[in-house]
Amino acid sequence: GNSVTQMEGPVTLSEEAFLTINCTYTATGYPSLFWYVQYPGEGLQLLLKATKADDKGSNKGFEATYRKETTSFHLEKGSVQVSDSAVYFCALSGRGAQKLVFGQGTRLTINP
Amino acid sequence: NAGVMQNPRHLVRRRGQEARLRCSPVKGHSHVYWYRQLPEEGLKFMVYLQKENIIDESGMPKERFSAEFPKEGPSILRIQQVVRGDSAAYFCASSPENGAFFGQGTRLTVV
């Protein structure tokens, strides 16, 4: 079945550091890939997505590229801010309106 | 996404009571999903519904849990005879297609 594996956390960085959170997946067919962010006490917010190979999703300075050859969708940001502190989830879904399969989440803390 | 409304935000139940969690999807969205999140864990799929139909309930426990999405009104996740292990955050999501929008969740505490 489909599965998502994320880089284990927690991850602690200083402000303005470069961020990478690794995500790899196993899936049949051609899934859509997502990154969600969860702030303390809140629900999940869609951060970015990519629906086909080589697509790059981007939002708020975050980027991730759908790499079919390495089955990866790593999240990157060039210069993190304290306000980026949250839990980040990588997820996939099959074609059409299907359920999301989530990774275990990576807790990110940015220190000033 | 503020468009998906869940209530209540917090729910406390004693063991053996029933819990009812409500979800109103974004207007126009016909697909509703329920997920459960245990502390410090990711979200686990429970059930996928369209109006008046359960499409996929492969993540639902076999007993005590049920879900519905009637023609009119919100989707309801119902947990009968709650136990301490049911304590978790329950999230609803809606979508017209890939890329669900999530509500803020209901945090259920069983005491």
Side-chain angles (χ1 to χ4, degrees):
Chain A
N2 296 344
S3 66
V4 176
T5 302
Q6 272 183 250
M7 169 179 167
E8 287 195 22
V11 174
T12 303
L13 296 171
S14 298
E15 204 165 21
E16 299 184 3
F18 184 85
L19 168 71
T20 300
I21 301 178
N22 290 339
C23 171
T24 57
Y25 67 90
T26 302
T28 54
Y30 302 93
S32 294
L33 301 173
F34 307 85
W35 277 99
Y36 283 84
V37 58
Q38 184 179 33
Y39 297 101
E42 299 294 324
L44 273 70
Q45 299 176 23
L46 178 64
L47 182 59
L48 53 84
K49 69 177 183 181
T51 58
K52 61 181 187 295
D54 300 324
D55 267 3
K56 177 187 283 189
S58 61
N59 185 26
K60 299 180 181 179
F62 291 89
E63 293 183 340
T65 301
Y66 189 142
R67 301 284 187 202
K68 188 171 184 298
E69 63 276 16
T70 54
T71 61
S72 65
F73 193 55
H74 304 321
L75 182 68
E76 297 182 337
K77 186 173 184 181
S79 176
V80 292
Q81 307 300 314
V82 172
S83 58
D84 294 327
S85 298
V87 180
Y88 291 80
F89 293 94
C90 185
L92 68 80
S93 74
R95 290 297 170 200
Q98 296 188 28
K99 62 191 179 188
L100 287 161
V101 176
F102 285 89
Q104 70 271 33
T106 301
R107 181 175 297 279
L108 174 66
T109 301
I110 307 300
N111 293 321
Chain B
N1 184 307
V4 178
M5 304 302 294
Q6 288 189 250
N7 67 82
R9 290 289 306 275
H10 300 275
L11 182 62
V12 179
R13 284 288 177 265
R14 289 198 172 89
R15 281 177 293 172
Q17 290 185 319
E18 179 181 284
R20 279 182 182 245
L21 289 63
R22 295 176 191 79
C23 168
S24 296
V26 173
K27 188 175 181 181
H29 285 188
S30 58
H31 306 267
V32 167
Y33 306 78
W34 285 93
Y35 295 84
R36 176 164 62 177
Q37 184 180 32
L38 295 172
E40 301 301 318
E41 292 188 15
L43 279 73
K44 303 296 184 187
F45 168 78
M46 299 182 74
V47 62
Y48 162 35
L49 308 105
Q50 293 182 15
K51 285 285 188 181
E52 301 184 277
N53 288 305
I54 296 174
I55 307 302
D56 180 353
E57 57 181 348
S58 58
M60 288 279 270
K62 294 287 185 264
E63 298 177 348
R64 302 188 297 107
F65 285 71
S66 62
E68 63 177 8
F69 188 17
K71 187 176 180 181
E72 301 291 337
S75 175
I76 305 288
L77 178 67
R78 183 181 178 210
I79 311 172
Q80 296 178 290
Q81 299 176 325
V82 296
V83 301
R84 287 224 171 106
D86 297 333
S87 295
Y90 293 82
F91 290 96
C92 170
S94 75
S95 74
E97 57 184 32
N98 280 357
F101 295 94
F102 283 80
Q104 292 191 300
T106 294
R107 282 155 181 81
L108 172 66
T109 302
V110 179
V111 297

